[in-house]
Amino acid sequence: KQWYQRRVRACTGVEVPAKQCSVIMKGLRGGCSMFNECQYMEVLAGEENFITTAIEHKIKFSMDFSKVYWNSKLGTEHRRVVDAIPVGATVLDMFCGIGPFALPLARKGCQVDANDLNPESYKWLVKNRDLNGIGTKLLTCYNMDGRDFVREFSGGKIQYVLMNLPASATEFLDVFVGLHSVEKVSQCPIKVFCYHFAHVDSPEESTLEAVKEVLGAEPENPFVHLVRKTAPKTWMTCIEFVVPQSVLRGENLAKRTKTE
């Protein structure tokens, strides 16, 4: 470890111009905190200043890297989802971070409501909205619990819901059970993009089963996209599906109650 640190420091001091790199660090075991920010880092060289700006698909993302989550390796996935959602669509971004989906969707003309529980993510989301000249009419920002956020729109028009929290997003799918039970009217279809970590050799099947277990029903038109491998036996997946009307009306919940 000490040899590695000395070598990195030496290379940084000699070969990396200060204008290009002011700090170099490495992640430590422990991953991210409850707010999904990477707190567990060690500075190997340079100043302890983690405020930076990334540019992805012509959009600027300013952030304090020590307090929010950002991964430039996901740029292709961000673009895939943004391209899949049509202009003018109504989108709820349940775990939006600093806006890798919300900002480009709003810029292309979607009506986006974006939420994150992390107050730092919310702060930088608002700053990035202003930095990129995106108006509040296209992007509204929230800082609240994910389930409460979705329930705020239970009586309104929801077309797409993004759930980019692969470690636990499937657990939040229960918010759709009975979401429209009060209205008792036909609602427009809700399409979900839900991320998941699949720890098996059959990531598609594992992801689908995780969704079925929480919804209590078979999702409509499911499609599992393999995003990338995050470990030798772990896939990050994205399952796209339409929430069944029976789930939205809580019919499967009523059946469960009678059975129990």
Side-chain angles (χ1 to χ4, degrees), residues 173-184:
L173 289 170
D174 60 0
V175 72
F176 296 109
V177 180
L179 185 65
H180 292 162
S181 60
V182 177
E183 286 76 15
K184 298 294 184 182

Side-chain angles (χ1 to χ4, degrees), residues 149-169:
F149 167 68
V150 173
R151 292 183 184 119
E152 287 282 321
F153 299 88
S154 61
K157 182 181 178 182
I158 306 174
Q159 292 179 299
Y160 295 87
V161 178
L162 307 183
M163 303 177 69
N164 183 22
L165 191 65
S168 59

Side-chain angles (χ1 to χ4, degrees), residues 10-163:
C11 292
T12 302
V14 174
E15 299 181 10
V16 182
K19 290 184 178 180
Q20 296 181 16
C21 180
S22 61
V23 60
I24 187 164
M25 54 197 173
K26 71 169 183 176
L28 302 177
R29 288 188 177 182
C32 299
S33 75
M34 65 171 288
F35 285 142
N36 206 29
E37 80 270 29
C38 294
Q39 292 181 330
Y40 308 100
M41 296 181 294
E42 178 184 0
V43 175
L44 298 178
E47 57 182 297
E48 292 195 23
N49 179 9
F50 303 111
I51 295 178
T52 186
T53 299
I55 299 177
E56 184 176 282
H57 305 300
K58 298 181 180 180
I59 294 180
K60 295 180 179 179
F61 296 90
S62 292
M63 71 193 88
D64 182 337
F65 190 70
S66 67
K67 296 181 179 179
V68 302
Y69 180 80
W70 179 262
N71 189 340
S72 296
K73 294 179 180 179
L74 295 174
T76 301
E77 176 62 11
H78 297 155
R79 175 52 57 190
R80 182 187 74 87
V81 174
V82 170
D83 288 346
I85 297 176
V87 174
T90 300
V91 183
L92 300 188
D93 195 345
M94 200 170 173
F95 314 109
C96 67
I98 63 171
F101 291 115
L103 291 171
L105 282 169
R107 171 166 282 184
K108 75 180 283 186
C110 295
Q111 178 62 56
V112 183
D113 290 278
N115 171 74
D116 203 279
L117 184 62
N118 182 356
E120 283 290 327
S121 293
Y122 169 78
K123 180 181 78 174
W124 289 101
L125 173 67
V126 173
K127 287 186 176 183
N128 289 326
R129 179 184 63 186
D130 299 338
L131 177 65
N132 289 277
I134 297 172
T136 56
K137 290 185 178 180
L138 287 175
L139 176 57
T140 306
C141 307
Y142 300 80
N143 176 213
M144 59 194 299
D145 173 78
R147 291 185 180 89
D148 293 340
F149 167 68
V150 173
R151 292 183 184 119
E152 287 282 321
F153 299 88
S154 61
K157 182 181 178 182
I158 306 174
Q159 292 179 299
Y160 295 87
V161 178
L162 307 183
M163 303 177 69

Side-chain angles (χ1 to χ4, degrees), residues 165-167 169-170 194-199 203 206-207 210 235-239:
L165 191 65
T170 55
C194 182
Y195 288 86
H196 182 63
F197 284 138
H199 302 276
S206 172
T207 302
W235 273 97
M236 178 181 177
T237 63
C238 176
I239 181 169

Side-chain angles (χ1 to χ4, degrees), residues 219-231:
E220 295 181 4
N221 305 321
F223 168 73
V224 178
H225 173 69
L226 301 182
V227 180
R228 69 188 190 101
K229 266 193 172 182
T230 58

